[in-house]
Amino acid sequence: MPIEILATGAALGAEISGVDLARPLDDATFAAIERAFDAHGVIFFRGQRITPQQQVDFSRRFGEIEFNIFGERWSVPGCPEIVVVSNITEDGRPIGVRRAGENWHSDMCYTARPPRGTMLYALEIPDLFGLALGDTEFASAAVAWDALPEALRRKLDGRRAVFDFTGRKRAFPPTQDEIDRNPPVRHPIVRTHPHTGRKCLYVMRDDCTGIEGIEAAEAEALIAALADHIVKPAFVYRHQWRPGDLLMWDNCTVQHRAIQDYDMPQRRLMHRTTMGGAVPA
Ligand code: OGA
Ligand code: MN
């Protein structure tokens, strides 16, 4: 079957069909996938059956695997590259990180080199009466940038925001060692995508604690206003998962959040990898 790329019709996202990720991908097919990823921000493949190693190998074609604080606690046994995202408990012990991000965010934006992208492979998806639960929402911070009034664009362009690891409320408190390893960093508020050259907003309500050159109270109000703007319904795609979906998002142009609308005995089980990126510019 030839590869096909079908845009979701929302502000971002495309489904890719005609690709079996359990088989070797030739360079031309991979190049088409990578172009779609850069252009659409979110891409997904339905009906996949892949091993942890196949997911790691596919992830590596986009960039080196990033290891993060989740992986140190919850990785697939024998496969440290894959983080388990799940609400399942076995023998009284959670098998994965349960709350991977219920507030809008971009992964690891508080690090000096945030990951290029994140990939989730859905193994079990909760449902009620056959209706899928546990959707993930994605917002295009590129379309949100395009929609800003010119005067605000001028005010923002060239400025940097402070990202602070301790700003975000986490389901589990970070250790002092983790805090020490993640000192505050500064990133441009207006990022340029390294492959497409497209501009996008890079502001997270929970993680940004200030903006260079803007006084604290105004910066706080501006961060909140921009964070609200980015996630307006017109800029959002909501993914309804099916087992066998492999989906990946771009952490430069896209923000995301998990919808927490299910609980045990409804099980959700995802395998997650993150792909290394460049210093934001
Ligand atoms: C993540 C994340 C959302 C979800 O893994 O970084 O935010 O729906 N996951 O599991
Ligand atoms: Mn996340």
Side-chain angles (χ1 to χ4, degrees):
M1 265 214 325
I3 179 169
E4 269 192 87
I5 293 158
L6 186 71
T8 60
L12 72 166
E15 176 174 356
I16 301 188
S17 64
V19 174
D20 179 353
L21 296 170
R23 302 171 70 101
L25 282 183
D26 60 64
D27 287 343
T29 305
F30 179 74
I33 292 170
E34 190 173 38
R35 270 197 308 277
F37 178 55
D38 289 334
H40 294 279
V42 170
I43 55 171
F44 57 91
F45 308 80
R46 302 276 196 192
Q48 301 295 316
R49 277 181 82 96
I50 54 167
T51 64
Q53 192 56 49
Q54 285 167 335
Q55 180 174 349
V56 169
D57 292 344
F58 181 54
S59 303
R60 282 221 166 97
R61 292 185 77 164
F62 294 89
E64 248 327 295
I65 302 276
E66 289 280 334
F67 294 85
N68 71 4
I69 57 170
F70 292 155
E72 290 165 14
R73 291 178 170 82
W74 297 291
S75 58
V76 170
C79 195
E81 296 91 343
I82 295 195
V83 176
V84 178
V85 175
S86 184
N87 68 333
I88 300 170
T89 302
E90 271 168 14
D91 303 325
R93 195 180 165 272
I95 65 162
V97 52
R98 184 185 159 73
R99 299 235 147 105
E102 287 163 44
N103 295 340
W104 286 101
H105 65 283
S106 173
D107 293 328
M108 294 164 72
C109 57
Y110 49 81
T111 59
R113 283 173 77 97
R116 173 183 183 183
T118 305
M119 191 183 286
L120 284 181
Y121 175 51
L123 291 142
E124 293 186 54
I125 296 301
D127 77 273
L128 251 190
F129 305 111
L131 299 169
L133 299 170
D135 294 356
T136 309
E137 285 190 302
F138 299 93
S140 173
V143 178
W145 162 258
D146 294 343
L148 285 185
E150 188 54 38
L152 184 50
R153 287 199 211 178
R154 272 200 302 274
K155 183 181 173 84
L156 297 173
D157 211 357
R159 281 190 203 280
R160 297 194 304 167
V162 180
F163 289 73
D164 193 327
F165 176 69
T166 61
R168 194 190 301 192
K169 285 183 210 68
R170 288 182 167 73
F172 58 93
T175 63
Q176 191 57 46
D177 172 59
E178 286 163 351
I179 294 169
D180 294 343
R181 275 189 283 152
N182 291 283
V185 291
R186 281 148 204 265
H187 296 307
I189 298 184
V190 184
R191 281 185 67 175
T192 303
H193 191 277
H195 300 122
T196 63
R198 193 157 180 202
K199 283 189 170 187
C200 65
L201 285 167
Y202 196 67
V203 180
M204 268 54 74
R205 182 189 244 110
D206 292 350
D207 306 283
C208 292
T209 53
I211 300 176
E212 277 180 0
I214 297 184
E215 166 277 316
E218 189 192 353
E220 194 185 335
L222 184 51
I223 289 164
L226 292 170
D228 285 344
H229 171 73
I230 291 166
V231 303
K232 283 175 182 158
F235 311 143
V236 170
Y237 164 67
R238 178 165 173 157
H239 188 73
Q240 191 172 309
W241 294 92
R242 299 181 203 157
D245 283 359
L246 183 133
L247 179 149
M248 52 193 289
W249 60 84
D250 184 316
N251 279 309
C252 173
T253 58
V254 178
Q255 294 192 16
H256 61 282
R257 70 165 170 182
I259 305 290
Q260 179 56 56
D261 58 358
Y262 60 94
D263 215 334
M264 285 306 246
Q266 298 149 330
R267 291 159 57 108
R268 190 175 193 262
L269 174 59
M270 316 290 244
H271 281 177
R272 176 188 198 265
T273 45
T274 39
M275 299 149 267
V279 174

